[in-house]
Amino acid sequence: MKFTLSWLKDHLETDASLAEIVERLTAIGLEVEHVDDKAGLKPFVIAKVLTAVQHPDADRLRVLTVDTGDGKPPVQVVCGAPNARAGMIGAFAAPGTYIPGIDVTLSVGKIRGVESHGMMCSERELEISDEHNGIIDLPPDAPVGTSFAAYAHLDDPVIEINLTPNRPDATSVYGIARDLAASGLGRLTGGAIMPHVGNGMCPVKVKIEAPELCPGFALTLVNGVKNGPSPKWLQQRLIAIGLRPISALVDITNYVTFDRGRPLHVFDANKVAGNLVVRRAKQGETVLALDGREYTLTPDMCVIADDNGVESIAGIMGGEHSGCDENTTDVLIESALWDPITTARTGRTLGIISDARYRFERGVDPEFMVPGVELATKLVLEFCGGTPTEIEVAGYAGHKPKIIFFPLSEVKRLTGIEVPREEALSILTRLGFEPRSSGDTVEVKVPSWRPDIDDKADLVEEVMRIHGVDNIAPQPLTSHDAVNGKILTTLQLRTRSAKRALAVRGMMEAVTWSFIPAKHAELFGGGQNGLKLANPIAADMSDMRPSLLPGLIAAAQRNADRGIGDVALFEVSGTYEGDLADQQRRVAAGVRRGTAKLDGSGRSWSGNAGPVGVFDAKADAIAALEACGAPVDRLQIEPGGPAWYHPGRSGTIKLGPKTVLGTFGEFHPKTLETLDASGPICGFEVFVDAVPEPKAKPTRTKPKLELSPFQAVKRDFAFVVDRSVEAGTLVRAALAADKKLVTGVSVFDVFEGASLGAAKKSIAIEVSIQPVEKTLTDEDFEALAKRIVENVNKQTGGVLRA
């Protein structure tokens, strides 16, 4: 929200400086983002052209002598403006001045052999308007030698504040002035609007067919207007806040929108056929809007129509057909109330961002609907002349104010600050509330311009922001005699640990959207059981993600499209399942693309590394689970995973027969095709919240780590088994042979060949043996080896390879 200082002072009688106003705005919750004090226009001065002669070497250039009013001899300026002449007064820029309209800093130079010591400027070169057919031509009484910006009132500082969505009352200069006055920085002025005397009833009637979308509509007709440029002061204010002046009628609607937070629309009455109807749009109906674009409408949208069809998209933008131009003589001024949710949804669907939509989707003051027409009519009569009719009002049943019972003790309870009773009541009154005292609990009537106020906590916030949060006395932190207990939850600790573990593995953290397209959600298990958004911010962000993988794959592909093909990304965040919002899971997921192996370099000591694959994803998944405290020595890996993985290059990680801790693998080609991605890409997902909590220790005494004094020994075994036997099954069989002596088993070779027989393979394992009670003899090793062979044979059918 932008406004100028002089505009603010139209409604705020104050002696406060710009710095004081800016500081107070931020203090009361209207955070100031930027202040433009117009310092860039200060170097430009009013100067008089003494002589103007033809350039000796150019037909379209003239050599001017210019009096800058500084008491020094006139300066020579080469000028190409067709209106440059002796005796005219304009805006002069000396060498060293920055010209914003052409992005140039002036210097002394020669133009066709003639030196030029400055520049006479046009309005476009000073970014005042688009006019550039000639240099600025000021009246004869313009004071030579003084600041041009001050003379033209262009030195008015522009303040920009950052509004939160719950403050529709502050989308107007008047509303901001009201807050400042309530804070004690001045007196609020200029609020009263006198009704006009109309000449008969408005001949154009309004019918509301969709009252749920339009709770009120006001309309008046002004005949015999002359639509020309708006006054200079109005144009300057609109330019200052970034709007382009168009014509008096259009500029008035923009001015009232920012001045009072009341969006309006004007129709050329001679282009409107019959009466106006407020209705839902018909499927496929189109309208050519004022921005020159044609929009296709749906029945979820509200429109204003006449006998010819749609004339305006309600609350967002008018139609070009009935728009006002320089030929307009009769104008209809419309002020209506529109449903905020419908307005927001329509704007997002059509991709239209307008000042009207910005206000209507936050909620406008319903009681200012008719005064808004009165104010606009007053300005039309002042700028354009004409004869108004009475105001036609349809559908408005009046505003029913909210009543809140407010215990004043809530201020102390919620903020810890004791605000005197009389001060709290005074603050509410100055803000427009109507408190009626009856003991500690006060009955408060909420003003019509504050739809964001719903309960007593909101009233506490209003009291506190005006009282001043800077009045909160600093308090030292409480000192504890003992070490604080655990603060973070188990899930928070696991999230941090998983992030660290994956980062150590050379992966980069990504933060992706929680919203994904419907077809991506269906691909990753969403479908009918997915969580769909009732009001998505975009058509391709309609579903809550059932998996982190679609976003990560898309992010990896975006990097590849920009030349970074070897990338490893991870994310630890929430996924959403089912129809309830509380069915959220904490998941750690990651993808690797190209040759982004563990070190992330894509290189190996033996040359370029091969493409990423299923075992890279498996290692990442196991590392994340280990960081989360999962018992990795007891995990079971089953072949195959969800449908989005390659069926022969994926796996599922389980803890027991029922608890699924994660999945991993290379992605199915159809999955990558649907996501418009290319491989090789592998990935994983582990369910952080599915890892069981560690068992509580029976005592506070930490168990002692017993180190064996005896030498550990490693023995190798090779077993011939059926090709269908999994290596993990054989490893578990070897571990179970003697849980006390066998401390580890790892696979170091798998071989298949004709020498082993049909459908056979050899699995070689290394068994780590750690004696605990004594040094093992040869007989002890032979007995242990026999038990290992027997256990493997019993569980897998494997025999020692000869």
Side-chain angles (χ1 to χ4, degrees):
M1 173 67 188
K2 291 183 178 181
F3 55 93
T4 65
L5 181 60
S6 65
W7 196 345
L8 176 68
K9 290 188 175 182
D10 279 357
H11 302 298
L12 182 69
E13 187 179 306
T14 180
D15 295 327
S17 65
L18 174 63
E20 291 172 326
I21 291 173
V22 168
E23 182 180 2
R24 184 63 59 86
L25 283 170
T26 300
I28 61 177
L30 304 177
E31 181 185 1
V32 176
E33 279 197 335
H34 179 67
V35 177
D36 182 1
D37 60 1
K38 298 296 182 181
L41 294 179
K42 289 181 180 179
F44 298 90
V45 298
I46 298 175
K48 183 175 182 178
V49 178
L50 301 178
T51 63
V53 297
Q54 188 68 38
H55 192 289
D57 197 27
D59 294 338
R60 298 186 179 182
L61 297 178
R62 294 183 181 180
V63 180
L64 314 179
T65 54
V66 178
D67 178 14
T68 61
D70 57 0
K72 297 179 181 179
V75 296
Q76 180 173 278
V77 175
V78 178
C79 180
N83 66 333
R85 66 188 187 278
M88 77 175 299
I89 297 177
F92 171 77
T97 302
Y98 174 73
I99 311 297
I102 57 176
D103 192 25
V104 167
T105 299
L106 293 181
S107 61
V108 177
K110 285 188 177 183
I111 302 176
R112 293 288 186 94
V114 178
E115 278 195 351
S116 181
H117 295 264
M119 180 178 183
M120 298 296 290
C121 303
S122 68
E123 291 190 358
R124 189 170 75 171
E125 287 159 348
L126 270 60
E127 294 187 336
I128 300 173
S129 73
D130 292 332
E131 176 60 43
H132 64 287
N133 292 325
I135 57 178
I136 296 172
D137 193 354
L138 298 177
D141 59 350
V144 175
T146 61
S147 168
F148 170 75
Y151 173 81
H153 304 289
L154 297 175
D155 56 348
D156 197 3
V158 177
I159 304 170
E160 182 178 3
I161 62 174
N162 181 21
L163 287 181
T164 52
N166 66 321
R167 292 300 307 276
D169 60 302
T171 60
S172 69
V173 179
Y174 185 80
I176 295 168
R178 179 171 48 220
D179 263 20
L180 288 170
S183 72
L185 203 65
R187 186 175 68 87
L188 187 65
T189 61
I193 300 173
M194 299 300 296
H196 72 271
V197 178
N199 183 19
M201 302 300 294
C202 180
V204 180
K205 304 302 179 183
V206 180
K207 181 181 179 181
I208 301 177
E209 295 182 354
E212 70 279 8
L213 304 183
C214 176
F217 197 105
L219 185 73
T220 190
L221 173 67
V222 183
N223 293 305
V225 302
K226 184 177 181 181
N227 187 24
S230 57
K232 199 68 175 179
W233 66 265
L234 178 53
Q235 292 187 37
Q236 288 172 347
R237 283 189 175 175
L238 295 180
I239 291 171
I241 63 174
L243 297 182
R244 179 173 62 89
I246 298 174
S247 67
L249 293 176
V250 176
D251 292 353
I252 287 170
T253 63
N254 288 331
Y255 176 76
V256 175
T257 297
F258 280 84
D259 187 65
R260 296 303 184 97
R262 161 37 67 181
L264 304 170
H265 184 62
V266 287
F267 299 90
D268 188 323
N270 295 320
K271 298 177 184 178
V272 174
N275 295 322
L276 296 178
V277 179
V278 178
R279 59 172 173 82
R280 291 182 180 272
K282 300 173 184 177
Q283 184 64 44
E285 206 167 21
T286 61
V287 60
L288 181 63
L290 288 171
D291 61 359
R293 298 171 59 189
E294 185 174 83
Y295 296 95
T296 302
L297 311 177
T298 67
D300 292 332
M301 303 172 183
C302 185
V303 298
I304 304 173
D306 63 3
D307 294 346
N308 291 329
V310 177
E311 295 293 355
S312 176
I313 306 172
I316 296 177
M317 187 173 289
E320 189 174 88
H321 170 263
S322 58
C324 294
D325 55 30
E326 67 277 3
N327 299 316
T328 298
T329 57
D330 302 318
V331 60
L332 286 167
I333 305 173
E334 166 255 308
S335 174
L337 302 174
W338 306 109
D339 176 57
I341 294 177
T342 302
T343 303
R345 182 167 52 235
T346 300
R348 281 199 289 266
T349 301
L350 299 179
I352 302 176
I353 299 174
S354 66
D355 293 319
R357 172 195 161 184
Y358 181 84
R359 286 157 177 80
F360 280 123
E361 67 186 8
R362 285 161 171 77
V364 299
D365 181 3
E367 290 291 88
F368 200 75
M369 180 181 72
V370 173
V373 175
E374 297 282 10
L375 177 58
T377 302
K378 172 180 176 294
L379 293 174
V380 169
L381 296 178
E382 181 180 342
F383 301 161
C384 307
T387 304
T389 66
E390 296 290 343
I391 296 177
E392 171 85 7
V393 179
Y396 186 56
H399 172 69
K400 184 179 180 180
K402 300 176 188 176
I403 302 295
I404 299 176
F405 291 94
F406 177 42
L408 293 175
S409 57
E410 285 293 285
V411 178
K412 170 75 173 183
R413 187 181 73 85
L414 293 179
T415 68
I417 299 179
E418 191 74 53
V419 178
R421 173 191 179 86
E422 294 305 319
E423 182 183 351
L425 295 178
S426 175
I427 289 173
L428 292 175
T429 301
R430 297 198 303 270
L431 287 171
F433 296 87
E434 296 181 26
R436 285 184 287 189
S437 178
S438 57
D440 180 63
T441 300
V442 179
E443 181 181 312
V444 179
K445 182 190 291 186
V446 179
S448 59
W449 59 82
R450 293 303 300 272
D452 58 304
I453 303 298
D454 291 313
D455 54 34
K456 55 190 178 182
D458 296 326
L459 294 177
V460 171
E461 181 182 356
E462 292 301 298
V463 172
M464 277 311 304
R465 70 184 185 87
I466 300 300
H467 175 73
V469 293
D470 52 345
N471 289 322
I472 300 176
Q475 298 289 336
L477 292 174
T478 305
S479 176
H480 297 280
D481 295 332
V483 177
N484 288 334
K486 178 180 175 181
I487 298 176
L488 299 179
T489 65
T490 300
L491 203 56
Q492 290 171 326
L493 291 171
R494 288 177 177 176
T495 298
R496 291 186 175 189
S497 298
K499 288 183 178 181
R500 291 193 183 103
L502 294 173
V504 165
R505 294 182 60 80
M507 306 185 81
M508 293 181 289
E509 184 175 7
V511 179
T512 63
W513 286 101
S514 297
F515 317 129
I516 61 175
K519 65 177 183 178
H520 293 180
E522 293 172 3
L523 183 65
F524 283 82
Q528 295 181 350
N529 296 325
L531 190 62
K532 291 189 173 292
L533 297 175
N535 189 20
I537 62 176
D540 60 349
M541 304 181 82
S542 59
D543 289 50
M544 300 297 288
R545 61 186 179 195
S547 167
L548 299 179
L549 292 174
L552 289 172
I553 294 173
Q557 187 61 41
R558 281 194 297 273
N559 279 273
D561 293 342
R562 289 157 178 79
I564 311 298
D566 301 326
V567 64
L569 304 174
F570 78 89
E571 183 173 9
V572 184
S573 189
T575 60
Y576 307 86
E577 302 173 358
D579 297 327
L580 300 177
D582 60 354
Q583 290 182 318
Q584 178 177 343
R585 302 202 69 176
R586 176 63 57 168
V587 177
V591 297
R592 291 183 183 271
R593 189 189 185 283
T595 60
K597 295 286 189 175
L598 176 59
D599 66 351
S601 67
R603 296 183 178 182
S604 171
W605 62 270
S606 60
N608 290 334
V612 295
V614 58
F615 295 109
D616 297 299
K618 176 185 175 182
D620 291 333
I622 297 297
L625 287 171
E626 184 176 15
C628 293
V632 293
D633 57 328
R634 293 192 285 120
L635 297 181
Q636 300 171 0
I637 310 296
E638 293 186 358
W644 51 87
Y645 289 115
H646 192 294
R649 303 174 189 170
S650 59
T652 300
I653 306 173
K654 288 186 174 181
L655 184 63
K658 296 182 179 180
T659 305
V660 176
L661 295 185
T663 59
F664 62 88
E666 299 175 26
F667 292 104
H668 198 289
K670 290 185 177 179
T671 300
L672 298 179
E673 182 181 355
T674 303
L675 296 176
D676 196 21
S678 59
I681 304 180
C682 68
F684 72 92
E685 267 188 318
V686 297
F687 309 115
V688 176
D689 51 5
V691 177
E693 292 272 3
K695 293 182 179 180
K697 300 296 181 183
T699 176
R700 292 185 178 181
T701 304
K702 293 184 178 180
K704 295 180 180 180
L705 180 62
E706 295 184 0
L707 298 176
S708 174
F710 304 105
Q711 178 69 40
V713 180
K714 293 183 179 180
R715 290 287 178 92
D716 296 341
F717 298 84
F719 293 95
V720 177
V721 296
D722 291 338
R723 187 178 296 167
S724 60
V725 174
E726 298 174 358
T729 304
L730 190 147
V731 168
R732 287 191 292 272
L735 280 169
D738 193 318
K739 295 183 178 181
K740 189 173 182 181
L741 291 176
V742 179
T743 58
V745 177
S746 61
V747 177
F748 66 86
D749 183 57
V750 178
F751 171 75
E752 294 183 21
S755 60
L756 299 178
K760 295 290 184 178
K761 65 181 178 182
S762 170
I763 301 177
I765 60 174
E766 180 185 74
V767 179
S768 298
I769 304 169
Q770 177 61 66
V772 178
E773 297 176 350
K774 64 175 184 176
T775 300
L776 299 183
T777 63
D778 289 342
E779 290 75 13
D780 294 329
F781 280 116
E782 290 298 330
L784 177 60
K786 184 178 180 180
R787 291 197 299 272
I788 292 174
V789 172
E790 290 176 350
N791 212 43
V792 169
N793 178 263
K794 181 179 179 181
Q795 295 190 29
T796 68
V799 296
L800 274 177
R801 181 177 174 185

